[in-house]
């Protein structure tokens, strides 16, 4: 027994020594090359954090790991020093890449989806690896969002006359810099306690690359609010900036396109607590190490911690955050994530759908131009309104021209299945032999719910840009009826050109009547716009132009009109105090219908069922 005990002890010691020797060898990780500045600073702690992540993930590399961080601001790729090691190349966003020099690396990471797509085009596999920061919890940003405090100041990167004018008018101190380079950032970090906000403009965030400055992450880490230009600002150089900032940071930046939105930022912004939490959770050096560990384990996609990934492709131009299609995509992303499925929003021309288990293309104004079907994945098109070439085709759109339908069929063949937000259109497609599922548009009750504000109350509210088919506001103005207009193109008639989707409920909830008018193609094919669902979820009465499917679901709880006289009569009737009780009752009935049938939760359930069905048909293991 004693001999057996000694053998066990001896074996345990030898096993421990072998285990220790193995892990000592496994954990030889070093940053061999890192560019000066942000990259050098942020990668200093990467090896230690990567060791912890590898242990946690039970990953045991058999070679030492060498990390090379390059190509952020200098267009060259470092030469490998030891080909016997496992060599990792972390690229930035510069596309001036010597493709041959990447071949010797065992793993390539890039902080730009565009560069990832570029490399993939040439047969080089790269993983998405967004910029990260080591942060510093010891720093205190005591002035954050305190714009009227004289000891605090705003940092302006890039010359922006509009922002400067607002700051000067309000007497807010500011300091102007040309770009957010490392030297400037280091200087500002040392004085971070006096910075109340940061405004990035022009190419200040990118500094000649197609990425955002890591200083942006440092600022958000410290809960300092950040303002930057909308993608449709006059400066075209922003087309390089906003897509990636939006792709990674999403809601955590505030955007502006006019003086009112700049002023609103300095009047109403709150401490950027959510942004700070996001940076610390997903863009810290610890999170970067976890992503790198997952990439080494070769799970896909490495940006996420799940082997299942849904990609929702918003059919808008990259960074067009004020478009309704983008917010539909974001709502789907959030509900899938809430249901335990990692999801992301991308834009046309992105190749991220190649890395997704499920791709859902939101078919709005931009056609799907390439086949996204794969043998081992599921791809869907979610048709939000009829894909017509031009509104003039409406006269015979129900009997589509043969050549046009051929083009449609070709586009529809790029996916495994169609989901359509109109029963009529879905049935029409089925009659032509196209597999189509009815999935209505929806509301997100996390955003759209009763939230009355006395400052925003109105009798009649209209929200929407001026287009050739939107005549409702002018009809009310012609009849001297009260109306508050928000949207672009209305000039002096509008109180503002844009309302952020995240606060739109306050305006809906504070109106007695909200008007809906629908583009002719949607009326023709019975597409219910999600404005109907959003307004009713907020408990307001919506008056709409006539759509049979609205009548089918809502009955008379959503009053509708076909002629100008009917619209005027309805508005006058429901503004009459004698009919207030009836107005409130109809709004309540419509709200109950919306919450029962048209929420993002219901739609997510429908997508789950359709995806499961297609997986069975394609014999894809779940």
């Amino acid at each position: 027994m004693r001999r057996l005990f000694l053998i066990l002890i001896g074996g345990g010691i030898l096993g421990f020594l072998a285990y220790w020797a193995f892990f000592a060898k496994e954990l030889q990780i070093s940053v061999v090359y890192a560019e000066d500045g942000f990259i050098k600073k942020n990668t200093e702690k990467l090896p230690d954090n990567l060791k912890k992540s590898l242990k946690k993930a039970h990953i045991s590399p058999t070679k030492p790991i060498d990390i090379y961080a390059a190509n952020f601001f200098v267009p060259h790729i470092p030469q490998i020093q030891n080909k016997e090691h496992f060599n990792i190349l972390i690229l930035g966003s510069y596309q001036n890449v010597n493709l041959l020099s990447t071949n010797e690396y065992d793993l390539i990471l890039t902080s730009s989806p565009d560069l990832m797509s570029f490399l993939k085009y040439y047969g080089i596999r790269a993983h998405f690896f967004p910029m990260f920061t080591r942060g510093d919890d010891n720093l205190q940003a005591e002035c954050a969002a305190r714009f009227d405090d004289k000891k605090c100041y705003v940092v302006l990167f890039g010359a922006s006359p509009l922002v400067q004018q607002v700051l000067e008018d309000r007497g807010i101190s500011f300091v102007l810099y040309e770009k957010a380079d490392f030297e400037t950032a280091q200087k500002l970090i040392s004085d971070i306690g006096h910075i109340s906000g940061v405004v990035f403009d022009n190419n200040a965030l990118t500094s000649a690359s197609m990425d955002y400055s890591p200083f942006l992450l440092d600022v958000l880490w410290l809960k300092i609010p950040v303002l930057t230009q909308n993608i449709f600002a006059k400066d075209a150089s922003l087309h390089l900036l906003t897509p990636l900032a939006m792709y990674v940071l999403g809601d955590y930046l505030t955007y502006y396109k006019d003086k009112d939105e700049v002023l609103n930022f300095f009047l109403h912004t709150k401490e950027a607590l959510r942004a700070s939490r996001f940076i610390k959770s997903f863009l810290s050096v610890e999170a970067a190490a976890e992503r790198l560990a997952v990439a080494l384990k070769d799970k896909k996609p490495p940006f996420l911690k799940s082997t299942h990934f849904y990609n929702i492709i918003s059919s808008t131009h990259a960074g067009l955050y004020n478009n309704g299609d983008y917010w539909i995509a974001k709502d789907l992303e959030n509900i899938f994530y809430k249901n335990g499925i990692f999801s992301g929003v991308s834009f046309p021309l992105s190749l991220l759908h190649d890395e997704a288990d499920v791709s859902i293309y939101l078919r709005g104004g931009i056609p799907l131009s390439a086949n996204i079907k794969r043998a081992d994945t599921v791809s869907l098109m979610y048709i939000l309104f009829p894909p017509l070439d031009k509104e003039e085709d409406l006269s015979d759109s129900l009997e589509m021209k043969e050549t046009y339908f051929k083009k449609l069929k070709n586009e529809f063949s790029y996916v495994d299945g169609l989901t359509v937000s109109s029963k009529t259109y879905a049935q029409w497609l089925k009659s032509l032999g196209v597999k189509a599922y009815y999935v209505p548009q929806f509301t997100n009750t996390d955003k759209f719910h009763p939230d009355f504000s006395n400052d925003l109350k109105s009798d009649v509210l209209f929200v929407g840009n001026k287009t050739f088919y939107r005549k409702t506001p002018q009809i009310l103005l012609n009849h001297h009826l009260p109306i508050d207009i928000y949207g672009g193109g209305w000039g002096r008639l509008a109180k503002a050109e844009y309302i952020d989707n995240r606060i739109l409920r306050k305006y809906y909830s504070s109106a007695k009547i909200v008007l809906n008018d629908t583009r002719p193609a949607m009326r023709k094919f019975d597409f219910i716009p999600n404005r109907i669902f959003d307004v009713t979820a907020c408990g307001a009465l919506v008056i709409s132009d006539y759509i049979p499917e609205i009548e089918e679901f809502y009955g008379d709880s959503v009053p509708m009109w076909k002629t100008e006289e009917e619209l005027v009569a309805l508005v006058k009737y429901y503004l009459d105090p004698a009919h207030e009780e009836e107005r409130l009752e109809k709004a309540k009935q419509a709200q109950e219908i919306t919450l029962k049938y048209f929420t993002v939760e219901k739609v997510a359930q429908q997508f789950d069922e359709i995806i499961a069905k297609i997986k069975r048909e394609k014999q894809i293991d779940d």
Side-chain angles (χ1 to χ4, degrees):
M1 186 72 176
R2 183 180 178 186
R3 183 181 178 188
L4 177 60
F5 180 73
L6 289 172
I7 290 173
L8 288 173
I9 292 292
I13 292 172
L14 289 173
F16 173 79
L17 290 173
Y19 178 85
W20 180 87
F22 179 76
F23 261 90
K25 181 181 179 182
E26 173 203 347
L27 297 177
Q28 291 177 17
I29 304 172
S30 56
V31 177
V32 176
Y33 176 89
E35 290 174 14
D36 290 336
F38 290 113
I39 311 310
K40 196 166 188 177
K41 182 198 82 163
N42 290 331
T43 54
E44 282 175 355
K45 292 186 177 181
L46 189 57
D48 288 340
N49 283 281
L50 181 55
K51 291 175 187 177
K52 296 175 185 176
S53 297
L54 289 172
K55 277 188 176 181
K56 186 178 178 181
H58 304 290
I59 300 171
S60 306
T62 57
K63 300 179 181 180
I65 295 175
D66 289 348
I67 298 172
Y68 298 77
N71 200 229
F72 282 86
F73 303 115
V74 261
H76 73 276
I77 292 176
Q79 290 185 338
I80 290 175
Q81 294 184 15
N82 191 331
K83 294 182 180 180
E84 299 301 318
H85 290 188
F86 189 91
N87 295 291
I88 299 173
L89 175 62
I90 302 177
L91 291 173
S93 301
Y94 229 115
Q95 296 215 19
N96 185 14
V97 176
N98 182 340
L99 297 171
L100 292 176
S101 62
T102 65
N103 290 337
E104 295 179 338
Y105 281 92
D106 298 290
L107 180 65
I108 299 175
L109 309 166
T110 174
S111 64
S112 165
D114 291 325
L115 181 53
M116 185 177 74
S117 300
F118 171 79
L119 293 171
K120 196 163 190 174
Y121 180 80
Y122 288 99
I124 300 169
R125 187 181 182 194
H127 297 277
F128 179 48
F129 192 73
M131 275 199 186
F132 58 91
T133 180
R134 60 186 289 181
D136 191 342
D137 285 321
N138 294 320
L139 295 174
Q140 297 296 321
E142 298 170 359
C143 275
R146 290 166 57 182
F147 299 115
D148 292 328
D149 194 322
K150 295 301 180 185
K151 71 177 181 181
C152 307
Y153 63 91
V154 173
V155 175
L156 257 179
F157 288 114
S160 173
L162 179 61
V163 177
Q164 290 183 56
Q165 186 62 55
V166 171
L167 292 170
E168 289 170 356
D169 290 347
R170 290 194 54 79
I172 299 174
S173 301
F174 65 91
V175 177
L176 178 64
Y177 295 94
E178 183 179 345
K179 59 184 180 180
D181 56 29
F182 182 69
E183 290 74 22
T184 302
Q186 288 295 91
K187 175 184 175 183
L188 291 172
I189 287 291
S190 66
D191 196 36
I192 203 74
H194 293 101
I195 298 176
S196 53
V198 176
V199 181
F200 287 96
D201 275 333
N202 304 325
N203 269 344
L205 277 179
T206 61
S207 185
S209 80
M210 292 181 67
D211 226 318
Y212 49 84
S213 167
F215 180 65
L216 172 62
L217 305 182
D218 291 333
V219 167
L220 292 173
W221 180 290
L222 296 167
K223 308 183 188 72
I224 296 173
V226 173
L227 178 69
T228 190
Q229 268 181 307
N230 186 305
I231 188 69
F232 277 149
K234 291 181 181 179
D235 189 340
S237 65
L238 274 175
H239 284 80
L240 295 180
L241 154 67
T242 312
L244 188 58
M246 277 299 300
Y247 181 82
V248 177
L249 297 169
D251 302 346
Y252 303 104
L253 303 179
T254 302
Y255 298 83
Y256 78 90
K257 60 178 168 39
D258 55 33
K259 186 176 181 180
D260 289 339
E261 290 184 352
V262 175
L263 186 60
N264 187 61
F265 174 79
F266 291 113
L267 288 175
H268 303 296
T269 191
K270 296 180 180 179
E271 195 174 62
L273 181 60
R274 286 177 63 248
S276 179
R277 287 173 178 166
F278 175 79
I279 301 299
K280 292 179 181 180
S281 296
F282 295 103
L283 298 176
S284 64
V285 66
E286 292 84 3
E290 288 186 15
R291 279 194 293 276
L292 183 46
V294 174
L296 286 167
K297 202 169 183 177
D298 204 28
K299 286 186 177 180
K300 70 176 190 180
F303 177 51
L304 302 167
K305 301 174 184 176
S306 171
T307 54
H308 286 85
F309 177 46
Y310 284 13
N311 180 35
I312 299 98
I313 308 169
S314 174
S315 61
T316 57
H317 295 291
L320 183 51
Y321 80 102
N322 57 1
N323 184 285
D325 293 0
Y326 169 76
W327 288 108
I328 290 175
K330 287 294 291 182
D331 289 339
L332 286 173
E333 174 195 25
N334 290 333
I335 190 62
F336 287 135
Y337 186 89
K338 191 181 292 185
N339 291 343
I341 300 169
F342 286 100
S343 307
V345 173
S346 64
F347 299 93
L349 304 181
S350 165
L351 293 186
L352 268 181
H353 53 253
D354 287 341
E355 300 294 331
D357 299 286
V358 174
S359 294
I360 303 174
Y361 185 85
L362 272 58
R363 177 57 158 95
I366 301 179
L368 182 58
S369 58
N371 191 339
I372 62 173
K373 280 199 295 190
R374 302 290 182 270
D376 59 345
T377 66
V378 174
S379 56
L380 292 169
M381 182 183 293
Y382 187 17
I383 300 178
L384 301 177
F385 56 83
L388 298 177
D389 270 345
K390 49 194 176 191
E391 298 289 347
E392 298 88 82
D393 290 338
L394 280 172
S395 58
D396 62 347
S397 59
L398 279 169
E399 299 82 27
M400 288 273 186
K401 297 173 184 176
E402 185 177 343
T403 54
Y404 181 65
F405 181 65
K406 280 183 179 178
K407 185 175 71 173
L408 271 183
K409 273 191 94 171
N410 187 51
E411 183 182 349
F412 293 162
S413 71
Y414 292 158
V415 293
D416 293 312
L418 302 180
T419 56
V420 186
S421 62
S422 160
K423 285 174 65 177
T424 302
Y425 195 80
Q427 290 165 358
W428 175 71
L429 289 174
K430 287 178 181 177
S431 71
L432 296 171
V434 178
K435 184 188 294 185
Y437 305 89
Y438 169 57
V439 179
Q441 292 192 41
F442 54 84
T443 189
N444 178 359
T445 54
D446 286 342
K447 283 190 302 183
F448 290 96
H449 51 79
D451 190 8
F452 177 82
S453 170
N454 196 57
D455 294 336
L456 300 174
K457 66 181 181 181
S458 61
D459 286 333
V460 182
L461 174 67
F462 179 85
V463 181
N465 295 330
K466 186 175 184 180
T467 63
F468 72 94
Y469 62 85
R470 282 187 166 147
K471 302 178 175 63
T472 308
Q474 194 59 54
I475 291 174
L476 265 65
L477 291 170
N478 291 344
H479 288 267
H480 307 292
L481 290 170
I483 183 171
D484 287 358
I485 301 172
Y486 292 84
W490 296 102
R492 294 182 179 179
L493 296 176
K495 301 190 79 171
E497 289 194 352
Y498 176 68
I499 302 175
D500 192 299
N501 186 267
R502 292 161 290 188
I503 60 170
L504 185 53
R505 68 177 178 277
K506 293 179 179 291
Y507 294 79
Y508 287 163
S509 301
S510 307
K512 292 180 180 178
I513 296 171
V514 180
L515 298 176
N516 173 69
D517 59 3
T518 316
R519 62 190 307 160
M522 294 183 73
R523 288 203 308 271
K524 189 78 174 181
F525 285 103
D526 277 358
F527 280 76
I528 305 178
N530 66 340
R531 181 184 288 105
I532 296 292
F533 309 131
D534 293 342
V535 173
T536 53
C538 293
L541 180 73
V542 59
I543 294 178
S544 176
D545 44 6
Y546 182 74
I547 298 177
E549 254 179 50
I550 294 180
E551 187 175 50
E552 177 184 344
F553 286 108
Y554 286 91
D556 64 353
S557 65
V558 174
M560 290 185 285
W561 57 276
K562 294 180 180 178
T563 66
E564 180 175 328
E565 292 74 19
E566 289 176 350
L567 169 62
V568 171
L570 283 171
V571 171
K572 288 181 177 179
Y573 182 86
Y574 287 108
L575 284 182
D576 188 337
H579 302 131
E580 181 175 6
E581 188 174 331
E582 182 181 352
R583 172 176 61 81
L584 294 174
E585 180 59 30
K586 285 189 181 297
K588 183 181 177 183
Q589 291 173 4
Q591 183 186 44
E592 290 172 353
I593 293 167
T594 294
L595 298 182
K596 186 175 182 179
Y597 297 109
F598 300 108
T599 64
V600 68
E601 289 83 3
K602 297 285 186 184
V603 165
Q605 185 177 351
Q606 287 181 270
F607 272 115
D608 287 342
E609 292 169 358
I610 294 167
I611 290 164
K613 184 175 187 294
I614 293 174
K615 281 185 175 181
R616 288 193 299 270
E617 292 172 353
K618 297 182 70 173
Q619 297 182 337
I620 299 172
D621 293 332
D622 200 356

